[in-house]
């Protein structure tokens, strides 16, 4: 049993943040046993680590991140998407053929994702098995709850970053087979998006999904171009989600739909039917100007929503800034498209913690039985104005950085 | 004569960034004497401070910031404007009646603005002479090139934060008279905005402007509500800028028009005629969802453009993040209103340095004769990918924070 004292903030429901001042959190075998405003008699002789005025919050979940794009973060953000892909992103991803390059990047990526307070993630690799294997191995070693995918792309891609349909399917099965029994970092199918994947490829992946019981991450209705191109290439379907449903890719494990900016009603129906997650990546979708997710509308339809850093379309690996940006973008969205409502800070915080964490089980909150994956936030107060614990966290999301994370706990262990 | 070695980046023109790798910058009496790729014979015996792989850039200029709102930064950012003002901002500003409170806040504000790399600023105080006097005194003492205003509001304001017309004019003249001979931090007229200022008040300020030769800062065409309300209150004018022109407020010193989101053609004509500055405050105008400035259009019309942190509608005092956000918002603007073009990183950097710095003379660049107001940026590189000096600065703007500012120079002195 471990005891911690301090301010505590977490999401109880999608629009309710709970705060405690100078309370105690008891952790047993890495799991929250309870929160106490007054310490119960039975715990009074236990040592207690006191975080004073600092605030203990759940660690973040990043539902959409391209690990190989880490070297390119915050660069060329004034380009348009097609130039950004052709001049920077695709040539960079091609470099992961070189596993030594991959090792250097992925070691830094993993250190940084932990530094930024993210302990659960859904991660794109590249088309390369060996490099992506190194990535999943290291995430497993560090104990980061994650899904990691070897990317598939057999058409509509540059020559130097395009697979044959057969090798794409074969390599994917090898990858899934090798890592299917991982404990923390599990493999997931990762067709890049519908425009770069043939029907034959998707059918092949569907068979793997069924055989190994694995889920899928991909980009869904992410831009007007993508939506249209997907239907041109897959003319039997009427929306992005239907393409994957027809390929048998949705009923074998988690379904993570990145972006989901222009969903048709049918996309929403299908996503909900399979209990999938739609992932907003606030900075990213503006930087490549795909559009802005209708977060308020989707939340009111009870779609599972999470946040993604989506480097390197996003600036950096932090989720706390994306919580602030999710609120900001909901205001722009409602300004230009008034049928959309703004979302609250509590709703955005839920998207970055409990709402997305549930993909990984009891993660992202501090209710009894939740994994004590936690951050201690400090250094956001002034001496001339007292802030409530929730205000401290709101300020951290607005202007803080990783240096405000004073301590990190994963499954109860300080790391 | 001082010599510095390192990478160097600065704006030459509004769309041209210059970069040097491992070059020398010679500074004489606080002013840039020259930049040399090879050190001239005559300088070879001088000591040289070597910043290695780090990048020397001009210090930033913040053209619109509400110092008294510092305690509220990054709080209640999910409110709508009217609630944000009534529940938080106005009650906070009223507290500056207490000069002890003001001293505590303004000391922190000034330390933080320097920490964030801003050395030139145009600053709102409150309606209170004593508190705003402390602010201008301290900025003067620190040597920060600035314009500071005691705010005027004699109508359309909460009772506890509203002046009589007479006292507003009288206090303003006292304030201007007291500080008019300051060296670095100069007084400026600061009617909050047209909806809170009567015609009589503006005429009174116009006389002070003429008598003391002082300029004006205010909010211009900042929201649809403000635009309409201004014309309702000042029915002799057809646009915001005309209200101030008619009051004789534009031809006596600098003119700083914050936001300038919905300018009419006549606003633009008037602003240009008086060589005024339009100030984009990227995060702020989205957080209170006033709208997005048409930066590309205004730049192409040769309007002087600058950036403002605009706390506490903006998250924080940093200008580097607002450079990145200016690019991002130009993409949203062109997405929703295609007659607007995106702006480049070079253009946004110019807005935060040379473009706005020229309000203060030879400031914001490193051409010969410019004040050596400089920052040294470090810690943004990775070992696996070499970045150009410009790329390092682009990354700093996208994901950096004040801890990346390794050194600061003001008029050649390290501070």
């Amino acid at each position: 049993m471990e005891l911690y004292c301090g301010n505590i903030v977490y999401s109880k429901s999608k629009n309710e943040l709970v705060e405690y001042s100078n309370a105690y959190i008891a952790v047993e075998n890495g799991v929250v046993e309870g929160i106490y405003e007054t310490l119960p008699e039975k715990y009074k002789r236990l040592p207690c680590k006191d975080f004073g005025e600092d605030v203990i919050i759940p660690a973040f979940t990043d539902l959409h991140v391209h690990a190989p794009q880490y070297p390119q973060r915050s660069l060329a953000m004034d380009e348009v998407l097609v130039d950004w892909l052709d001049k920077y992103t695709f040539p960079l991803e091609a470099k992961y053929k070189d596993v030594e390059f991959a090792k250097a990047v992925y070691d830094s990526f993993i250190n940084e994702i932990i530094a930024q307070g993210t302990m659960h993630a859904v991660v794109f690799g590249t088309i390369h098995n060996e490099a992506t294997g190194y990535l999943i191995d290291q995430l497993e070693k560090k104990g980061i709850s994650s899904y990691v995918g070897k990317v598939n792309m057999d058409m509509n891609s540059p020559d130097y970053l395009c697979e044959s349909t057969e090798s794409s399917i074969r390599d994917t099965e090898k990858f899934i087979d090798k890592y299917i029994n991982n404990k923390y970092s599990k493999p997931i199918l990762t067709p890049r998006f519908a425009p770069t994947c043939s029907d034959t490829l998707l059918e092949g992946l569907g068979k793997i999904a069924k055989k190994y019981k694995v889920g899928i991450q991909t980009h869904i209705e992410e831009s007007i171009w993508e939506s249209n191109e997907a239907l041109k290439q897959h003319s039997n379907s009427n929306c992005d989600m239907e393409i994957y449903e027809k390929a048998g890719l949705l009923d074998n494990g988690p379904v993570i739909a990145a972006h989901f900016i222009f969903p048709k009603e049918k996309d929403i129906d299908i996503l909900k039917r399979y209990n999938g997650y739609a992932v907003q990546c606030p900075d990213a979708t503006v930087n490549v100007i795909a559009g802005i997710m209708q977060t308020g509308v989707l939340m009111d339809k009870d779609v599972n929503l999470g946040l993604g850093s989506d480097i390197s379309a996003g600036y950096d690996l932090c989720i706390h800034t994306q919580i602030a940006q999710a609120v900001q973008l909901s205001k722009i969205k409602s300004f230009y498209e008034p049928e959309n409502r703004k979302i609250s800070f509590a709703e955005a915080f839920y998207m970055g913690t409990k709402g997305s964490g549930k993909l990984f089980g009891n993660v992202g909150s501090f209710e009894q039985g939740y994994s004590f994956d936690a951050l201690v936030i400090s250094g956001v107060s002034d001496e001339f104005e007292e802030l409530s614990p929730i205000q401290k966290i709101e300020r951290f999301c607005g202007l803080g950085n990783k240096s405000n994370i004073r301590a990190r706990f994963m499954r109860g262990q300080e790391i």
Side-chain angles (χ1 to χ4, degrees), chain A:
Chain A
M1 175 76 73
E2 309 285 337
L3 268 185
Y4 305 97
C5 177
N7 298 309
I8 299 166
V9 170
Y10 64 89
S11 293
K12 200 167 162 188
S13 67
K14 70 180 178 181
N15 49 21
E16 191 186 357
L17 269 178
V18 178
E19 66 181 340
Y20 293 88
S21 294
N22 301 313
Y24 300 86
I25 184 163
V27 177
E28 194 164 19
N29 298 323
V31 169
V32 176
E33 185 272 339
I35 292 176
Y36 303 96
E37 301 197 68
T38 313
L39 201 58
E41 198 55 44
K42 59 180 175 176
Y43 294 151
K44 282 200 171 149
R45 264 175 298 175
L46 285 178
C48 178
K49 183 152 188 177
D50 189 350
F51 288 112
E53 288 307 303
D54 296 342
V55 189
I56 309 171
I57 60 170
F60 297 117
T61 294
D62 188 341
L63 283 191
H64 183 60
V65 55
H66 290 266
Q69 295 175 18
Y70 182 71
Q72 194 193 329
R73 65 204 185 284
S74 286
L75 298 180
M77 300 274 70
D78 58 357
E79 297 280 359
V80 294
L81 180 57
V82 59
D83 292 336
W84 179 81
L85 286 170
D86 289 343
K87 288 178 9 193
Y88 303 94
T89 315
F90 286 153
L92 172 59
E93 288 200 17
K95 290 172 87 171
Y96 290 78
K97 200 178 158 184
D98 172 3
V99 76
E100 292 309 313
F101 178 76
K103 285 180 180 179
V105 174
Y106 288 153
D107 286 349
S108 293
F109 166 81
I110 292 170
N111 287 338
E112 187 64 17
I113 206 168
I114 294 172
Q116 296 283 2
T118 295
M119 292 184 197
H120 331 96
V122 179
V123 188
F124 267 60
T126 57
I127 58 172
H128 312 94
N129 271 38
E130 200 180 350
T132 310
Y134 183 81
L135 176 62
I136 195 169
D137 274 339
Q138 297 308 306
L139 286 163
E140 174 78 4
K141 210 174 273 181
K142 294 274 187 179
I144 297 179
S145 300
S146 46
Y147 290 98
V148 179
K150 169 240 171 302
V151 172
N152 304 100
M153 41 207 296
D154 73 337
M155 56 185 281
N156 247 340
S157 307
D159 286 349
Y160 59 82
L161 196 67
C162 192
E163 309 165 289
S164 71
T165 309
E166 302 69 38
S167 70
S168 187
I169 295 171
R170 189 182 59 236
D171 287 352
T172 302
E173 179 153 5
K174 272 193 208 161
F175 182 81
I176 301 287
D177 188 72
K178 185 166 180 184
Y179 297 106
I180 190 69
N181 293 317
N182 273 8
K183 186 167 178 189
Y184 302 116
S185 188
K186 295 174 182 297
I188 191 166
L189 294 169
T190 308
R192 187 172 203 116
F193 57 6
T196 66
C197 296
S198 66
D199 278 328
T200 316
L201 173 57
L202 293 180
E203 282 158 26
L205 298 183
K207 285 179 195 151
I208 297 173
K210 201 167 175 184
K211 177 171 172 188
Y212 291 90
K213 293 284 155 207
V214 283
I216 179 177
Q217 65 174 334
T218 188
H219 302 87
I220 295 287
E221 307 290 5
E222 78 158 323
S223 70
I224 295 166
W225 175 85
E226 187 276 332
S227 279
N228 294 337
E229 187 69 16
L231 298 190
K232 211 192 294 175
Q233 303 297 337
H234 305 273
S235 50
N236 287 336
S237 295
N238 296 303
C239 67
D240 256 11
M241 288 303 296
E242 193 177 5
I243 296 168
Y244 299 99
E245 186 182 42
K246 285 197 169 154
L249 275 160
L250 303 183
D251 49 359
N252 303 284
V255 173
I256 297 104
H259 305 316
F260 212 71
I261 296 175
F262 302 99
K264 301 171 179 67
E265 275 310 311
K266 191 159 192 182
D267 282 303
I268 298 173
D269 291 346
I270 297 175
L271 189 71
K272 285 186 71 167
R273 192 177 323 137
Y274 295 97
N275 198 27
Y277 290 73
V279 188
Q280 187 186 29
C281 308
D283 275 325
T285 58
V286 178
N287 284 334
V288 304
I289 199 54
I292 299 173
M293 188 198 253
Q294 40 193 293
T295 42
V297 169
L298 293 174
M299 207 172 279
D300 295 339
K301 289 185 177 175
D302 282 323
V303 174
N304 296 317
L305 292 185
L307 291 173
S309 66
D310 193 18
I311 59 158
S312 65
Y315 294 123
D316 204 358
L317 284 171
C318 27
I319 290 299
H320 70 278
T321 57
Q322 298 314 287
I323 290 172
Q325 289 302 93
V327 174
Q328 194 182 83
L329 288 198
S330 75
K331 289 183 167 182
I332 299 185
K333 186 82 174 174
S334 67
F335 180 77
Y336 282 110
E337 302 174 53
E339 66 277 18
N340 289 273
R341 68 169 177 88
K342 73 177 175 68
I343 64 170
S344 67
F345 176 71
E347 288 172 322
F349 191 82
Y350 179 82
M351 286 171 70
T353 56
K354 192 179 182 186
S356 45
K358 65 176 187 266
L359 178 67
F360 298 95
N362 280 348
V363 147
S365 182
F366 290 150
E367 287 153 295
Q368 197 175 31
Y370 272 71
S371 181
F372 190 62
D373 297 350
L375 311 174
V376 182
I377 306 303
S378 71
V380 289
S381 303
D382 303 309
E383 75 282 6
F384 41 77
E385 195 94 332
E386 188 144 345
L387 301 186
S388 72
I390 288 176
Q391 285 181 311
K392 288 181 186 177
I393 297 311
E394 191 184 356
R395 179 173 284 171
F396 167 63
C397 291
L399 60 72
N401 60 64
K402 63 187 174 187
S403 74
N404 296 109
I405 307 177
R406 168 182 167 183
R408 295 162 183 81
F409 294 85
M410 186 188 285
R411 300 187 193 89
Q413 297 298 310
E414 188 161 0
I415 55 172

